[in-house]
């Protein structure tokens, strides 16, 4: 089969490798219907050391069940399924409390030798990891809009929803979203879904912030740094917003979050931190700022979000603006890196 | 009048200074009934540069209203009142949201030239700062236990309650309290009040942890560092506790908190951070740890706590184990610094 590997910074290749097989009774094999490239895939794209051994890439996929191990109970061959970007048993103490990324028997795709930018995938802990899409005909066919929506539930939309959930966004809350990438835009949509009173999107790529407005942003602030902070302060009568959803992960974005948060407010972050330390005293302590968020336990939200996508209540798949074949994965990375594409869907 | 000043590290003096007078129409003058020394007063006691000008000390007081400015409406001469350790108008946007320490017209006692370890005090924003104790006879008399309980509401108990509140401690939550100082013990009592399922107190001074057990601690862990972390992990089946209340403020205590927190859990801190930066990625991000807490908006909790003290439902004043005269303030600081006293009450 064809599968995507990274051999070093900027060096993505699609290789031909053996098809995966069942290794554990809890495994399933799925045939990929759609996968995609994540903003977080660009971090190694910038920094990975060159190696003769490629690292398997990709952690977002929807697919059709081909085969199940003897201990898999909830899945049938031919069902269309959404995978979360981690695998987990969905039964351990941490899964039961809703933090599946901390599963005692779980792990991250991309790691464990499994990349999801591939034609077939071995899914560990299949019962806890894959969720069946109801009422599908077993072919994996569907409108492009529907497939894009379902694929967005593998990571990006539900990461945005996790940010809003951890930030306790709800009616009456004012929200600043930092970052106009696919996760930031998803956080706007999720905040609107949760009933936020006002959503200020900080981003400077007009095509993206325009989609942000369609997703529910009430205001867009294009300025950065001090100017951006002042603009948000001005929009909020000086007080800042109750919640900031930080979807970037770089230190200036964190500092921007601290700059626009209201006393007693919550910074919820889902951008993977690319900096080591940050000040925890000063204004954070004085003004009772809560810092929350982290790696999204997508599995927690899948059962609720799949029907919303099927019914058309939400269209989170609109963050996919470019579609390429899996063989074009190197070009997909390059396009996202050059910001020519917001998020690229890969068709096997 | 007599008032306490610090002239440098280890150099506390009780000087005779003019009685305070009304400066603003929103001021009140109170006659001190009891004040005390705070653990946070020991930070400058260790580090303050020597100076010819003493800094006024103290931020906790109960007293009797002597005089009110023309704009003060809620207070009458002779009433016994509890002051919060900050002053605030209790009407601005941040006060209304419960974060009085961020009041637009507020400030900290100890600063602004006002120390509360004194015979008389000028209280700015008196309507928003002082809360009358109902059913008192206007003499400021009362049992020592009652006065100690009321004085503990000026800071220490309500700082512990704030930690538990921000940590969302409640029925079903397991809690680790780090620190057996007066704030840590208060956090134990507050967690018990809020219905915590289990409270593990980390501290190694037996007299203090014994009081912690009486306040509601289910377990005491005397070990520190890795050993302490392992002990808490063992008590919780490896998982850690849902909440950690950090009442120390030094970096090892923060690291201990990260070591014993459960995935998806909340570290609520009220120990003033004595370190500049800390890692926000790594386990905090991976395991969705929430970091919250900060300077306690005591005013938010006063109306609820005063009746609890008056009725004897709670006895938070038990953290005062030594009583001295105001003139002995230098000895009070020395006793707390040497850990011979947990918390010293000062009687004018």
């Amino acid at each position: 089969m064809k599968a995507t590997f990274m051999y070093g910074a900027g060096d993505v290749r699609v290789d031909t490798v053996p098809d995966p097989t069942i290794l554990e009774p809890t495994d399933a094999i799925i045939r990929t219907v759609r996968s995609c490239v994540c903003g977080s895939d660009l971090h190694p794209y910038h920094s990975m050391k060159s190696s003769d051994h490629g690292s398997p890439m990709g952690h977002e996929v929807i697919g059709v069940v081909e085969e199940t191990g003897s201990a898999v109970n909830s899945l049938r061959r031919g069902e269309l399924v959404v995978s979360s970007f981690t695998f987990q048993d969905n039964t351990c103490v941490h899964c039961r409390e809703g933090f599946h990324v901390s599963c005692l028997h779980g792990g991250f795709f991309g790691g464990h030798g499994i990349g999801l930018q591939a034609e077939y995938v071995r899914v560990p802990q299949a019962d806890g990891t894959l969720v069946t899409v109801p009422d599908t005909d077993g072919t994996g066919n569907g409108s492009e809009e529907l497939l894009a929506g379902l694929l967005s539930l593998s990571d990006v939309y539900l990461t945005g929803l996790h940010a809003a959930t951890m930030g306790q966004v709800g009616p009456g809350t004012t929200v600043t979203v930092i970052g106009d990438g696919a996760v930031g835009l998803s956080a706007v949509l999720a905040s609107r879904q949760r009933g936020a009173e006002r959503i200020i999107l900080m981003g400077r790529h007009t095509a993206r912030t325009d989609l942000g407005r369609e997703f529910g942003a009430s205001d867009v602030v294009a300025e950065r740094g001090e100017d951006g902070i002042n603009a948000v302060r001005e929009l909020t009568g000086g007080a800042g917003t109750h919640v900031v959803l930080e979807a970037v992960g770089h230190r200036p974005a964190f500092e921007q979050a601290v700059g626009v948060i209201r006393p007693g407010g919550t910074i919820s972050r889902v951008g993977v931190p690319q900096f080591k330390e940050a000040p925890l005293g000063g204004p954070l302590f004085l003004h009772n700022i809560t810092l929350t968020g982290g790696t999204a336990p997508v599995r927690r939200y899948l059962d609720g979000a799949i029907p919303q996508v099927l019914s058309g209540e939400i269209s989170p798949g609109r963050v996919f603006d470019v579609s390429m074949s899996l063989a074009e994965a190197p070009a997909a990375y390059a396009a996202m890196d050059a910001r020519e594409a917001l998020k690229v869907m890969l068709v096997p």
Side-chain angles (χ1 to χ4, degrees), chain A residues 49-77:
Chain A
K49 278 191 188 167
S50 286
S51 162
D52 292 341
H53 303 284
S55 298
M57 295 301 297
H59 53 257
E60 298 156 281
V61 74
I62 58 174
V64 170
V65 178
E66 288 281 316
E67 193 185 348
T68 56
S70 58
V72 175
N73 297 312
S74 65
L75 304 166
R76 299 285 166 270
R77 185 183 160 84

Short mmCIF file of all heavy atoms in Angstrom, two decimals, chain A residues 49-77:
data_model
loop_
_atom_site.label_atom_id
_atom_site.label_comp_id
_atom_site.label_asym_id
_atom_site.label_seq_id
_atom_site.Cartn_x
_atom_site.Cartn_y
_atom_site.Cartn_z
N LYS A 49 15.27 16.01 12.30
CA LYS A 49 16.60 15.65 11.82
C LYS A 49 16.49 14.62 10.70
O LYS A 49 15.62 13.74 10.75
CB LYS A 49 17.41 15.02 12.96
CG LYS A 49 18.05 16.03 13.87
CD LYS A 49 19.06 15.35 14.79
CE LYS A 49 19.55 16.35 15.83
NZ LYS A 49 20.28 15.68 16.91
N SER A 50 17.36 14.69 9.72
CA SER A 50 17.34 13.74 8.61
C SER A 50 17.68 12.34 9.11
O SER A 50 18.47 12.17 10.03
CB SER A 50 18.36 14.14 7.55
OG SER A 50 17.88 15.26 6.84
N SER A 51 17.05 11.36 8.50
CA SER A 51 17.27 9.97 8.90
C SER A 51 17.01 9.08 7.69
O SER A 51 16.28 9.44 6.77
CB SER A 51 16.31 9.61 10.04
OG SER A 51 16.21 8.21 10.16
N ASP A 52 17.63 7.89 7.70
CA ASP A 52 17.35 6.91 6.64
C ASP A 52 16.00 6.24 6.86
O ASP A 52 15.41 5.69 5.93
CB ASP A 52 18.43 5.82 6.62
CG ASP A 52 19.76 6.40 6.18
OD1 ASP A 52 19.76 7.48 5.56
OD2 ASP A 52 20.81 5.78 6.48
N HIS A 53 15.56 6.24 8.11
CA HIS A 53 14.27 5.63 8.45
C HIS A 53 13.20 6.71 8.47
O HIS A 53 13.28 7.63 9.27
CB HIS A 53 14.33 4.96 9.82
CG HIS A 53 15.40 3.93 9.92
ND1 HIS A 53 15.29 2.68 9.34
CD2 HIS A 53 16.63 3.97 10.50
CE1 HIS A 53 16.39 1.99 9.57
NE2 HIS A 53 17.24 2.75 10.27
N GLY A 54 12.23 6.58 7.63
CA GLY A 54 11.14 7.54 7.64
C GLY A 54 10.24 7.32 8.84
O GLY A 54 10.09 6.20 9.33
N SER A 55 9.64 8.43 9.34
CA SER A 55 8.63 8.32 10.41
C SER A 55 7.26 8.33 9.77
O SER A 55 6.95 9.22 8.96
CB SER A 55 8.75 9.51 11.37
OG SER A 55 10.00 9.51 11.99
N PRO A 56 6.41 7.37 10.14
CA PRO A 56 5.06 7.34 9.58
C PRO A 56 4.28 8.57 10.01
O PRO A 56 4.36 8.98 11.17
CB PRO A 56 4.45 6.07 10.16
CG PRO A 56 5.28 5.73 11.35
CD PRO A 56 6.64 6.30 11.12
N MET A 57 3.53 9.16 9.09
CA MET A 57 2.86 10.43 9.36
C MET A 57 1.34 10.29 9.32
O MET A 57 0.80 9.42 8.66
CB MET A 57 3.29 11.48 8.33
CG MET A 57 4.78 11.84 8.39
SD MET A 57 5.30 12.52 10.00
CE MET A 57 4.32 14.04 10.07
N GLY A 58 0.70 11.21 10.04
CA GLY A 58 -0.75 11.31 9.96
C GLY A 58 -1.45 10.74 11.17
O GLY A 58 -1.09 9.67 11.66
N HIS A 59 -2.45 11.46 11.67
CA HIS A 59 -3.21 11.00 12.83
C HIS A 59 -4.70 11.28 12.70
O HIS A 59 -5.42 11.24 13.68
CB HIS A 59 -2.63 11.59 14.11
CG HIS A 59 -2.53 13.08 14.08
ND1 HIS A 59 -1.34 13.75 13.88
CD2 HIS A 59 -3.47 14.04 14.20
CE1 HIS A 59 -1.55 15.05 13.88
NE2 HIS A 59 -2.84 15.25 14.09
N GLU A 60 -5.16 11.57 11.48
CA GLU A 60 -6.58 11.86 11.28
C GLU A 60 -7.09 10.98 10.14
O GLU A 60 -6.49 10.99 9.05
CB GLU A 60 -6.77 13.33 10.92
CG GLU A 60 -6.32 14.30 12.01
CD GLU A 60 -5.97 15.68 11.47
OE1 GLU A 60 -4.86 15.84 10.90
OE2 GLU A 60 -6.82 16.58 11.59
N VAL A 61 -8.18 10.28 10.37
CA VAL A 61 -8.66 9.39 9.31
C VAL A 61 -10.14 9.05 9.51
O VAL A 61 -10.62 8.98 10.64
CB VAL A 61 -7.82 8.08 9.28
CG1 VAL A 61 -8.17 7.15 10.45
CG2 VAL A 61 -7.99 7.33 7.96
N ILE A 62 -10.85 8.89 8.40
CA ILE A 62 -12.10 8.14 8.41
C ILE A 62 -11.90 6.98 7.42
O ILE A 62 -11.13 7.09 6.47
CB ILE A 62 -13.33 8.99 8.01
CG1 ILE A 62 -13.15 9.61 6.61
CG2 ILE A 62 -13.57 10.09 9.04
CD1 ILE A 62 -14.40 10.34 6.11
N GLY A 63 -12.55 5.87 7.70
CA GLY A 63 -12.31 4.70 6.84
C GLY A 63 -13.41 3.68 6.99
O GLY A 63 -14.40 3.87 7.71
N VAL A 64 -13.24 2.58 6.27
CA VAL A 64 -14.21 1.48 6.28
C VAL A 64 -13.53 0.27 6.93
O VAL A 64 -12.39 -0.06 6.60
CB VAL A 64 -14.67 1.16 4.85
CG1 VAL A 64 -15.48 -0.13 4.81
CG2 VAL A 64 -15.47 2.32 4.30
N VAL A 65 -14.26 -0.36 7.84
CA VAL A 65 -13.70 -1.51 8.54
C VAL A 65 -13.51 -2.67 7.56
O VAL A 65 -14.44 -3.07 6.85
CB VAL A 65 -14.63 -1.95 9.70
CG1 VAL A 65 -14.08 -3.20 10.40
CG2 VAL A 65 -14.81 -0.81 10.70
N GLU A 66 -12.28 -3.18 7.52
CA GLU A 66 -11.95 -4.31 6.64
C GLU A 66 -11.90 -5.61 7.42
O GLU A 66 -12.32 -6.66 6.93
CB GLU A 66 -10.58 -4.08 5.99
CG GLU A 66 -10.55 -3.01 4.94
CD GLU A 66 -11.10 -3.52 3.60
OE1 GLU A 66 -10.75 -4.64 3.19
OE2 GLU A 66 -11.90 -2.77 2.99
N GLU A 67 -11.35 -5.54 8.64
CA GLU A 67 -11.09 -6.77 9.39
C GLU A 67 -11.01 -6.40 10.86
O GLU A 67 -10.57 -5.32 11.21
CB GLU A 67 -9.73 -7.33 8.93
CG GLU A 67 -9.45 -8.74 9.38
CD GLU A 67 -8.03 -9.19 8.99
OE1 GLU A 67 -7.37 -8.49 8.17
OE2 GLU A 67 -7.58 -10.22 9.52
N THR A 68 -11.47 -7.30 11.72
CA THR A 68 -11.39 -7.03 13.15
C THR A 68 -10.74 -8.20 13.87
O THR A 68 -10.91 -9.36 13.46
CB THR A 68 -12.80 -6.79 13.77
OG1 THR A 68 -13.62 -7.92 13.49
CG2 THR A 68 -13.44 -5.53 13.23
N GLY A 69 -10.01 -7.89 14.96
CA GLY A 69 -9.43 -8.93 15.79
C GLY A 69 -10.50 -9.65 16.59
O GLY A 69 -11.66 -9.18 16.68
N SER A 70 -10.12 -10.77 17.20
CA SER A 70 -11.10 -11.64 17.85
C SER A 70 -11.75 -11.00 19.07
O SER A 70 -12.83 -11.41 19.47
CB SER A 70 -10.43 -12.95 18.26
OG SER A 70 -9.34 -12.66 19.14
N ALA A 71 -11.12 -9.98 19.65
CA ALA A 71 -11.67 -9.36 20.86
C ALA A 71 -12.47 -8.09 20.56
O ALA A 71 -12.93 -7.41 21.47
CB ALA A 71 -10.56 -9.05 21.84
N VAL A 72 -12.62 -7.75 19.28
CA VAL A 72 -13.35 -6.53 18.91
C VAL A 72 -14.84 -6.84 18.79
O VAL A 72 -15.22 -7.76 18.05
CB VAL A 72 -12.81 -5.95 17.58
CG1 VAL A 72 -13.64 -4.76 17.14
CG2 VAL A 72 -11.34 -5.55 17.73
N ASN A 73 -15.65 -6.10 19.52
CA ASN A 73 -17.08 -6.41 19.59
C ASN A 73 -18.00 -5.40 18.92
O ASN A 73 -19.11 -5.73 18.53
CB ASN A 73 -17.52 -6.52 21.06
CG ASN A 73 -16.80 -7.66 21.77
OD1 ASN A 73 -16.75 -8.78 21.25
ND2 ASN A 73 -16.23 -7.38 22.93
N SER A 74 -17.57 -4.14 18.83
CA SER A 74 -18.52 -3.09 18.46
C SER A 74 -18.50 -2.76 16.98
O SER A 74 -19.25 -1.90 16.53
CB SER A 74 -18.20 -1.83 19.27
OG SER A 74 -16.92 -1.32 18.91
N LEU A 75 -17.65 -3.40 16.20
CA LEU A 75 -17.46 -3.00 14.80
C LEU A 75 -17.75 -4.16 13.85
O LEU A 75 -17.45 -5.32 14.16
CB LEU A 75 -16.02 -2.53 14.58
CG LEU A 75 -15.54 -1.39 15.48
CD1 LEU A 75 -14.02 -1.25 15.40
CD2 LEU A 75 -16.22 -0.09 15.07
N ARG A 76 -18.33 -3.83 12.71
CA ARG A 76 -18.61 -4.83 11.68
C ARG A 76 -17.90 -4.43 10.40
O ARG A 76 -17.82 -3.24 10.07
CB ARG A 76 -20.12 -4.93 11.41
CG ARG A 76 -20.97 -5.35 12.60
CD ARG A 76 -20.86 -6.85 12.93
NE ARG A 76 -21.42 -7.15 14.24
CZ ARG A 76 -20.74 -7.14 15.40
NH1 ARG A 76 -19.45 -6.86 15.41
NH2 ARG A 76 -21.33 -7.42 16.55
N ARG A 77 -17.44 -5.41 9.66
CA ARG A 77 -16.82 -5.18 8.36
C ARG A 77 -17.76 -4.35 7.49
O ARG A 77 -18.97 -4.59 7.45
CB ARG A 77 -16.57 -6.53 7.71
CG ARG A 77 -15.81 -6.47 6.41
CD ARG A 77 -15.66 -7.87 5.79
NE ARG A 77 -15.37 -7.75 4.36
CZ ARG A 77 -14.16 -7.55 3.86
NH1 ARG A 77 -13.11 -7.50 4.67
NH2 ARG A 77 -13.99 -7.41 2.56
#
